[in-house]
Amino acid sequence: MRHKIIAGNWKMHGSREQNSLLVSSIAAASHALSHVRLVLFPPFVYLDHVARLITQTPVGLGAQNVSQYDCGAYTGEIAASMLRDCGCDYVIVGHSERRQLFNETSASVAQKVLAALNAGLTPILCVGEMLTERERGLTESVVAAQLQSVVECVGAANVARIVVAYEPVWAIGTGKAATPEQVEVVHAFIRAFLASVDRVHGESVSILYGGSVKPDNAASFFARPCVDGVLIGGASLSAPDFLAIAHAT
Ligand code: PGA
């Protein structure tokens, strides 16, 4: 089923003190936002802390990354089952910062999606093109390849269990969001791709937009029926901004 998801990716930001302030404001406002699903993605080491702060609230919890391995001698890695154990329901997989800065490949991203699904997590699979790729008219082929490797790994029957976030790399952290028209074109392409994999369940996948979403542009994205939610980076570190975006739904 398609849900309105407002996801806050904190990236490598926060402290116990800052998290307490941020989450208490969001938690207090969350009961009035029951028509949307607010999900916070703190750094791993704060998952447990944030899990306690959101107890008795509708706010959801997710991680920013996950290992493709189940358990074992993988120093520094975090297994999907551990994320479940810490109260996560979601995990971001294949964020462009992971792909570009930490050399994640389509193959490892697909394995991570599979590991997340096997543990009962909902993966938020990030896809999107770089500026040079857009300029060369390659947006759809880049996004298709990113989706295809995941579908091949997890199987068509599991597609309905994934959330897709379209995040053009050139829009992330730049203050230069894609236009709603650009988002609509790529979301329609992603929807058609998913429907070609599984005609019935492809329709039920939530497709988010991410990249410089702010309070002043959020409503323009939500005005498009193809946008099921947003993945927010910078603006998710401010409770008023994060909540203003959620209210814009
Ligand atoms: P931004 O980040 O909102 O700061 O552009 C989005 C993201 O990385 O998901």
Side-chain angles (χ1 to χ4, degrees):
M1 207 178 107
R2 282 159 75 172
H3 298 287
K4 280 262 180 283
I5 298 172
I6 311 294
N9 174 12
W10 294 1
K11 308 194 180 184
M12 199 167 73
H13 295 285
S15 66
R16 285 178 161 272
E17 195 183 340
Q18 288 169 359
N19 303 345
S20 298
L21 289 170
L22 179 57
V23 179
S24 62
S25 301
I26 292 170
S30 64
H31 298 282
L33 284 161
S34 55
H35 58 292
V36 291
R37 190 165 286 183
L38 306 177
V39 190
L40 303 178
F41 295 81
F44 286 131
V45 290
Y46 296 127
L47 284 170
D48 207 40
H49 182 219
V50 174
R52 273 181 277 125
L53 294 171
I54 58 174
T55 310
Q56 311 285 341
T57 78
V59 180
L61 185 67
Q64 300 171 17
N65 185 22
V66 64
S67 175
Q68 65 261 53
Y69 304 112
D70 289 341
C71 67
Y74 301 105
T75 302
E77 291 289 283
I78 310 280
S81 59
M82 297 171 184
L83 299 179
R84 282 298 281 163
D85 202 23
C86 286
C88 290
D89 290 315
Y90 294 86
V91 62
I92 295 170
V93 182
H95 190 281
S96 65
E97 287 153 16
R98 301 287 329 161
R99 292 182 195 256
Q100 293 195 319
L101 304 175
F102 300 96
N103 303 320
E104 290 196 8
T105 63
S106 287
S108 66
V109 168
Q111 290 293 331
K112 287 174 179 220
V113 171
L114 183 63
L117 289 173
N118 286 343
L121 292 165
T122 298
I124 298 187
L125 169 66
C126 298
V127 298
E129 80 288 0
M130 292 186 290
L131 186 57
T132 50
E133 292 167 333
R134 171 165 281 269
E135 287 169 348
R136 286 160 57 209
L138 298 175
T139 298
E140 292 184 357
S141 60
V142 167
V143 169
Q146 290 169 334
L147 293 171
Q148 183 64 30
S149 57
V150 170
V151 170
E152 278 169 15
C153 181
V154 306
N158 281 315
V159 163
R161 298 170 61 202
I162 295 171
V163 170
V164 176
Y166 169 53
E167 296 213 309
V169 179
W170 47 271
I172 296 176
T174 59
K176 191 181 176 305
T179 65
E181 292 74 23
Q182 288 171 318
V183 172
E184 192 159 63
V185 169
V186 182
H187 276 217
F189 175 78
I190 294 171
R191 178 71 61 206
F193 181 97
L194 297 172
S196 74
V197 172
D198 183 328
R199 197 169 54 80
V200 177
H201 297 109
E203 284 298 324
S204 64
V205 172
S206 296
I207 305 178
L208 318 183
Y209 166 71
S212 297
V213 175
K214 307 286 177 206
D216 60 2
N217 63 18
S220 69
F221 297 115
F222 292 127
R224 308 277 162 155
C226 63
V227 175
D228 297 313
V230 287
L231 180 50
I232 312 162
S236 73
L237 298 171
S238 150
D241 284 359
F242 184 72
L243 292 168
I245 293 169
H247 279 292
T249 54

